[in-house]
Amino acid sequence: EAGVAQSPRYKIIEKRQSVAFWCNPISGHATLYWYQQILGQGPKLLIQFQNNGVVDDSQLPKDRFSAERLKGVDSTLKIQPAKLEDSAVYLCASNPSGTDTQYFGPGTRLTVL
Amino acid sequence: QKEVEQDPGPLSVPEGAIVSLNCTYSNSAFQYFMWYRQYSRKGPELLMYTYSSGNKEDGRFTAQVDKSSKYISLFIRDSQPSDSATYLCAMKRTAGGSYIPTFGRGTSLIVHP
């Protein structure tokens, strides 16, 4: 079974630029999560999708971050414009319906200069 | 005060030692408790998942939950150098029929030969 795929793995941008991350969850997994993990901290939930609907986005900075999950499969997370404090690893995770076991992707490491 | 508190360490132990990792939480709405292991530059992977107060054992790992004290623990017996990683506690609360996760900041564990 293929795992959660994320791309790119690394991204370096300057502040005020925009950036997008892509996540392909495990096939059949209804729930998809985006997390931000700043160095030395635990993952912070940004947004949680159930199929293509949003379950929780209370910690998503909506003035600059946006996310979508078209057709309930792949998802993209966008930052526009980026700030220095957005430097972090962005993790995508998914779990199938009826379970709470999250499977994490390898993450995208973002550096904002 | 953060909802989930976890000492970042590092915790350094000799091979074969019993390791005790802990988290405290403040939100009584948390119902599900998990421990994840995260190796450097990798996504977290689920180790243990518990619901009720008490102990749950899986091989060398034992998870303990005390809801009355809002305190959870993970014990690792016969620790090995390969156990060196960051251990994240995580908890879930219900919201609108879904489960919303919150992670601790993680404890860095070093097991030296």
Side-chain angles (χ1 to χ4, degrees), chain B residues 16-38:
Chain B
I18 297 175
V19 175
S20 173
L21 303 164
N22 311 293
C23 286
T24 59
Y25 62 97
S26 56
N27 191 342
S28 298
F30 289 131
Q31 297 181 14
Y32 297 90
F33 306 90
M34 294 143 285
W35 286 95
Y36 286 81
R37 178 174 61 197
Q38 185 173 27

Side-chain angles (χ1 to χ4, degrees), chain B residues 41-113:
Chain B
R41 297 185 180 270
K42 301 285 187 183
E45 57 177 328
L46 182 68
L47 285 176
M48 300 286 286
Y49 178 95
T50 60
Y51 169 71
S52 56
S53 285
N55 294 351
K56 181 178 180 180
E57 190 172 316
D58 185 1
R60 296 186 296 113
F61 299 93
T62 299
Q64 191 174 78
V65 174
D66 183 346
K67 288 187 175 180
S68 62
S69 301
K70 297 188 177 65
Y71 188 89
I72 69 170
S73 300
L74 177 71
F75 299 96
I76 307 174
R77 290 183 297 281
D78 187 25
S79 57
Q80 303 295 311
S82 58
D83 294 328
S84 298
T86 296
Y87 290 79
L88 300 156
C89 64
M91 308 176 187
K92 287 190 176 183
R93 58 180 173 82
T94 57
S98 295
Y99 297 105
I100 311 300
T102 301
F103 281 78
R105 64 179 300 178
T107 298
S108 175
L109 172 66
I110 302 167
V111 182
H112 50 86

Side-chain angles (χ1 to χ4, degrees), chain A residues 13 19 27 42 46 48 53 64 91 105 109:
Chain A
I13 62 172
V19 64
S27 178
L46 294 176
Q48 179 176 339
R64 299 185 301 107
L91 294 163
R109 185 175 297 273

Side-chain angles (χ1 to χ4, degrees), chain A:
Chain A
E1 179 182 68
V4 176
Q6 290 189 247
S7 68
R9 291 296 311 277
Y10 304 92
K11 190 74 177 178
I12 301 175
I13 62 172
E14 294 189 350
K15 59 183 179 184
R16 291 189 289 273
Q17 285 187 324
S18 61
V19 64
F21 312 127
W22 174 81
C23 173
N24 185 12
I26 294 173
S27 178
H29 283 198
T31 309
L32 184 147
Y33 312 79
W34 281 104
Y35 292 90
Q36 179 193 60
Q37 187 173 25
I38 292 172
L39 186 65
Q41 298 184 21
K44 174 183 139 183
L45 180 68
L46 294 176
I47 188 165
Q48 179 176 339
F49 292 96
Q50 181 73 20
N51 296 308
N52 61 346
V54 175
V55 172
D56 186 87
D57 62 358
S58 57
Q59 299 190 93
L60 186 74
K62 299 179 185 61
D63 57 334
R64 299 185 301 107
F65 286 65
S66 64
E68 60 181 8
R69 190 183 184 197
L70 299 176
K71 300 180 182 179
V73 182
D74 293 9
S75 178
T76 57
L77 176 70
K78 296 179 181 177
I79 308 175
Q80 182 180 10
K83 293 185 175 182
L84 296 177
E85 58 262 36
D86 297 333
S87 294
V89 175
Y90 290 84
L91 294 163
C92 179
S94 68
N95 68 259
S97 298
T99 80
D100 292 291
T101 302
Q102 291 186 53
Y103 296 86
F104 281 82
T108 296
R109 185 175 297 273
L110 173 68
T111 301
V112 182
L113 302 175

